[in-house]
Amino acid sequence: MMPRKVLVTGAQGQLGRALQALAPDDLTVIGCSSAELDITDAKQVDSCLAAHRPNVVINAAAYTAVDKAESEPERARLVNTEGARNIAAASIRYGAWPIQISTDFVFDGTQSTPYTPEVPTNPLSVYGVTKRDGELAAHAASEGQATILRTSWVYGPVGSNFLLTMLRLMQERDELGVVCDQIGTPTSTYSISRALFALVQQDLGRGEILHWTDAGVASWYDFACRVKECGERYGLLGAGSAVVRPIPTVEYPVPAVRPRFSVMQVSGLLGRNGTHWATEVGQMLQEIAGAA
């Protein structure tokens, strides 16, 4: 049997690069960067899928600048909503299974227990609204066949993310104030990639909304402290690098409102095989140090 063919959009983003790096031997993974495939262009999407004829399309392309989206709502909508619609519609047209990546920011954070996929969404930001609308658009355009995979606080060894920003700021400053009253789960791009490939290989979750994060919970302050601890351990930061100070959200005003609590319950068919977030952060920083 020929290997199944998986097309990944946003191939130069942090998740797209992880998906290509971790591709299993029994899958053929084709990466299309935003320069190669503009998902907001329906004709371009159609031509791409017609040319490659994938079995699965993982839409890892997204507008993820949460605060910038508040001043660029139309651009965020085009990528996160219309792009998701275009990918799902073309996937179904050419017999492919669309998997749409979404976010914990579709929730309002008012719960005190982990969110399950059935909980009604109520996003607080432009980014959250456009991702929620992208879920709905993918579902409708795919005639209910798209899988929605929500994840949270994503980071990897490349791209723009909290882990890499903290490493840089800890080298540049003597002290950092980091928000301590927003709670979620940091999740590695490697972990998400493994979960996605498990779905594809086992042909699970078609038409479902699924949640995947690493294990455990944290505040952004907890996340930063772990980056500092492991950054020093692996030589990415000097001993006694920047002091990390916990601050409340009100002391760090930003354009977009974040959910205060966005921990998600991992979907049963994915199991709870994810590593604890603190372990994943340590492994990621060890890898970055080894590559430096």
Side-chain angles (χ1 to χ4, degrees):
M1 182 183 293
M2 293 291 290
R4 299 183 71 188
K5 189 184 291 186
V6 180
L7 189 142
V8 175
T9 67
Q12 288 303 303
Q14 60 177 351
L15 179 55
R17 289 174 69 169
L19 284 163
Q20 292 171 93
L22 299 181
D25 291 340
D26 63 341
L27 297 177
T28 298
V29 175
I30 302 163
C32 292
S33 69
S34 57
E36 297 164 326
L37 175 61
D38 177 1
I39 67 169
T40 70
D41 185 331
K43 289 183 179 179
Q44 208 178 112
V45 172
D46 189 275
S47 296
C48 178
L49 267 69
H52 290 294
R53 297 286 176 151
N55 304 110
V56 181
V57 181
I58 298 176
N59 185 25
Y63 182 111
T64 59
V66 176
D67 290 314
K68 196 175 181 183
E70 295 296 313
S71 58
E72 293 186 351
E74 182 58 19
R75 180 60 189 163
R77 186 191 68 79
L78 281 172
V79 177
N80 292 343
T81 304
E82 296 310 314
R85 189 191 317 278
N86 293 339
I87 291 293
S91 295
I92 296 305
R93 192 175 304 124
Y94 292 104
W97 169 21
I99 301 178
Q100 172 68 27
I101 307 301
S102 194
T103 173
D104 58 324
F105 279 35
V106 300
F107 297 116
D108 60 17
T110 58
Q111 283 197 182
S112 57
T113 55
Y115 283 88
T116 60
E118 297 75 30
V119 174
T121 56
N122 186 31
L124 303 175
S125 62
V126 167
Y127 168 71
V129 167
T130 61
K131 291 297 287 183
R132 187 273 316 277
D133 291 350
E135 293 182 4
L136 297 173
H139 179 79
S142 69
E143 302 168 3
Q145 296 181 53
T147 296
I148 311 298
L149 185 81
R150 294 178 182 143
T151 188
S152 69
W153 295 25
V154 179
Y155 67 91
V158 296
S160 176
N161 58 63
F162 183 83
L163 179 144
L164 296 179
T165 298
M166 287 297 103
L167 273 182
R168 175 175 56 82
L169 292 178
M170 287 173 188
Q171 292 168 332
E172 296 174 354
R173 302 182 185 177
D174 294 327
E175 182 176 304
L176 291 175
V178 182
V179 170
C180 64
D181 56 358
Q182 293 172 23
I183 306 299
T185 306
T187 305
S188 158
T189 54
Y190 292 173
S191 168
I192 301 165
S193 297
R194 291 190 293 266
L196 284 165
F197 286 134
L199 286 178
V200 170
Q201 289 173 309
Q202 298 173 64
D203 197 14
L204 293 173
R206 289 179 186 251
E208 296 187 42
I209 299 175
L210 305 174
H211 288 176
W212 173 262
T213 68
D214 286 325
V217 300
S219 67
W220 293 110
Y221 169 72
D222 296 327
F223 192 174
C225 288
R226 182 62 173 167
V227 172
K228 173 180 165 67
E229 174 192 356
C230 295
E232 291 179 355
R233 179 185 304 163
Y234 299 123
L236 293 165
L237 299 168
S241 59
V243 173
V244 182
R245 182 171 58 87
I247 61 171
T249 298
V250 293
E251 286 189 25
Y252 190 73
V254 289
V257 179
R258 270 81 168 166
R260 289 294 185 94
F261 180 92
S262 62
V263 177
M264 296 190 295
Q265 180 69 50
V266 169
S267 298
L269 64 83
L270 286 165
R272 175 41 100 175
N273 299 321
T275 311
H276 193 276
W277 71 267
T279 302
E280 286 280 352
V281 168
Q283 292 172 348
M284 184 72 71
L285 289 166
Q286 188 173 17
E287 177 187 318
I288 292 171

